[in-house]
Amino acid sequence: MRAMQLAELKAKAEALREEWQRALASVQDADGLEQVRVRFLGRRGELTRLFSSLKELAPAERAPAGQLLNALKQEITDALAQKAQLIEEQERARRLAAERYDFTLPGKWRPLGHLHPLTQVRLEIEDIFMRMGFDVASGPEVEDDYHNFEALNIPEDHPARDEWDSFYIDERLLLRTHTSPVQIRVMKSRKPPVRIICPGRCYRRDNPDATHSPVFHQVELLWVERGLTMANLKWIIEEFVRRFFGPGYEMRFSADFFPFTEPSAQVHIRRPRGEWLEIMGAGMVDPAVLAEVGYDPEEVTGFAFGLGIERMAMLRWGIEDIRLFYQNDIRFLSQF
Ligand code: FA5
């Protein structure tokens, strides 16, 4: 191998200095910087190769040549560190600029859901009665014949069963046709006085029309205590309707018949166009029903009603057709 001269190594070192400076100048990011480091300072890098040619020099020249290369290495190392810092600062500034919030931009509008109008009305009715001191009770939607009919004084073959055309599940079980079976369940599990309401879903084989749906909701009310009369029932209903609708409605009581109440009544409210809409059936709990649950009809009396939630919602918002509540049309539902 031809021995190398100090002058030649100096020339190579000079050329290398120009090269790394050019390479570093075009570096844009951390990856590019790493490539430059590997190219000049890596194990097989260009400067490392110059170092290994030191041994080709005459012994006397090795020390000054070594100093020269060490100085060059230091120079490159420092420049790389400086550039690394600069890149990091630029990167940080870029990130901050990208993350900056513009508080003057208008906000993004997101549609918010809300409760179904029937749920809104149910909650409002519950609220009114809870303020009057009633508890909220519940019972099963799949009910047995005993609670839905028999205990309510409607034995088999009683003509009144035709009024509640039912969905039967088997001989004994059916989808409850009203919330009145909850009266029986509550009275059998508590001693008087009893003061409850029970909101819930009911099912009847009614033909759907503007005021009837095969699935609908009632709120049952039951108050049993010593000394209650029809006057108390009438006051409760009037007070409730006044609180729900506010002033300016017209209400009508008329006689009706239910096997489980005596006397019985129905309540109508006048609609904006003038016709009357029935909202509930009501009455004094029949002594036979009180006896059936183990209460003494000589000791206590009671009254009850079954109120249609859909009907109340129709009156509240002037809705002409009950079926609108069940079509899930967002154009209708979003109005409430
Ligand atoms: C009853 O269901 C009795 N259980 C009410 C009752 C309870 C009377 C306690 C006495 C004591 P009726 O079938 O009339 O009664 O229904 C009561 C109310 O439920 C009606 O006034 C009406 O508002 C509502 N309703 C009944 N059937 C439907 C239906 N198919 N669609 C919508 N609402 C209905």
Side-chain angles (χ1 to χ4, degrees):
M1 194 194 285
R2 185 184 65 85
M4 194 193 264
Q5 303 292 311
L6 180 58
E8 191 184 345
L9 186 123
K10 277 187 174 167
K12 282 192 176 175
E14 206 44 54
L16 195 64
R17 166 177 282 123
E18 267 175 38
E19 252 182 78
W20 76 254
Q21 282 175 344
R22 207 173 323 117
L24 195 64
S26 64
V27 161
Q28 305 277 3
D29 54 21
D31 283 350
L33 195 66
E34 176 62 7
Q35 280 170 18
V36 171
R37 191 192 65 75
V38 170
R39 178 174 159 200
F40 293 97
L41 302 182
R43 261 194 323 130
R44 297 204 182 90
E46 296 185 20
L47 185 62
T48 318
R49 256 186 287 145
L50 268 191
F51 268 108
S52 52
S53 64
L54 277 179
K55 57 182 180 299
E56 296 171 27
L57 291 178
E61 293 180 332
R62 285 180 196 167
Q67 278 172 11
L68 176 80
L69 293 187
N70 273 330
L72 184 55
K73 182 176 179 181
Q74 192 60 48
E75 213 177 299
I76 299 178
T77 308
D78 290 349
L80 285 176
Q82 241 180 35
K83 184 84 176 186
Q85 199 181 349
L86 186 71
I87 286 175
E88 165 140 7
E89 275 165 17
Q90 284 171 346
E91 183 65 15
R92 194 154 167 266
R94 198 189 53 72
R95 262 201 328 265
L96 283 178
E99 283 172 8
R100 201 167 57 202
Y101 290 109
D102 181 352
F103 292 106
T104 64
L105 281 176
K108 279 190 189 141
W109 183 80
R110 288 197 175 78
L112 254 192
H114 62 72
L115 295 176
H116 191 280
L118 293 178
T119 308
Q120 293 180 34
V121 167
R122 170 175 63 76
L123 292 175
E124 194 177 328
I125 295 171
E126 282 178 16
D127 192 56
I128 291 175
F129 284 114
M130 283 191 311
R131 280 166 203 268
M132 290 184 180
F134 288 81
D135 286 345
V136 178
S138 66
E141 286 177 30
V142 175
E143 195 40 288
D144 54 33
D145 192 273
Y146 173 77
H147 290 91
N148 196 80
F149 291 126
E150 267 203 60
L152 289 166
N153 212 16
I154 319 172
E156 232 180 318
D157 304 327
H158 191 291
R161 283 208 183 192
D162 296 347
E163 282 188 34
W164 289 282
D165 203 355
S166 320
F167 292 106
Y168 275 91
I169 290 166
D170 58 27
E171 286 281 292
R172 195 179 61 87
L173 292 177
L174 70 158
L175 298 178
R176 70 176 174 202
T177 57
H178 49 179
T179 42
S180 296
V182 183
Q183 287 186 33
I184 304 298
R185 292 183 176 276
V186 168
M187 287 191 285
K188 284 202 165 198
S189 65
R190 301 189 199 178
K191 297 248 159 300
V194 164
R195 207 187 300 173
I196 58 111
I197 58 164
C198 166
R201 211 171 281 145
C202 305
Y203 304 83
R204 286 186 200 176
R205 293 174 52 166
D206 285 346
N207 282 327
D209 64 21
T211 53
H212 293 85
S213 166
V215 180
F216 62 98
H217 297 77
Q218 286 185 341
V219 177
E220 192 81 8
L221 175 143
L222 173 70
W223 185 348
V224 183
E225 202 168 335
R226 193 187 286 270
L228 290 178
T229 70
M230 194 80 177
N232 300 112
L233 169 61
K234 204 155 174 265
W235 182 84
I236 287 273
I237 294 173
E238 277 168 357
E239 181 62 17
F240 160 66
V241 169
R242 192 182 64 75
R243 290 194 194 182
F244 186 87
F245 289 114
Y249 60 89
E250 253 185 283
M251 181 165 63
R252 182 179 83 183
F253 281 83
S254 48
D256 200 351
F257 171 79
F258 297 103
F260 38 93
T261 49
E262 179 60 34
S264 306
Q266 51 184 323
V267 178
H268 289 78
I269 304 267
R270 201 198 280 279
R271 305 175 80 172
R273 290 199 186 155
E275 348 75 283
W276 294 94
L277 184 63
E278 184 195 317
I279 57 164
M280 69 165 80
M284 300 303 293
V285 180
D286 195 289
V289 174
L290 293 175
E292 175 67 29
V293 298
Y295 288 5
D296 180 356
E298 302 294 324
E299 280 282 307
V300 290
T301 52
F303 57 74
F305 67 61
L307 168 74
I309 296 186
E310 282 79 358
R311 305 274 176 95
M312 295 301 276
M314 291 169 78
L315 289 162
R316 155 68 52 86
W317 288 297
I319 294 162
E320 296 285 332
D321 196 321
I322 197 172
R323 288 166 291 198
L324 287 166
F325 291 121
Y326 292 101
Q327 285 162 354
N328 281 339
D329 185 334
I330 203 75
R331 291 167 301 181
F332 172 73
L333 293 176
S334 61
Q335 300 174 72
F336 302 98

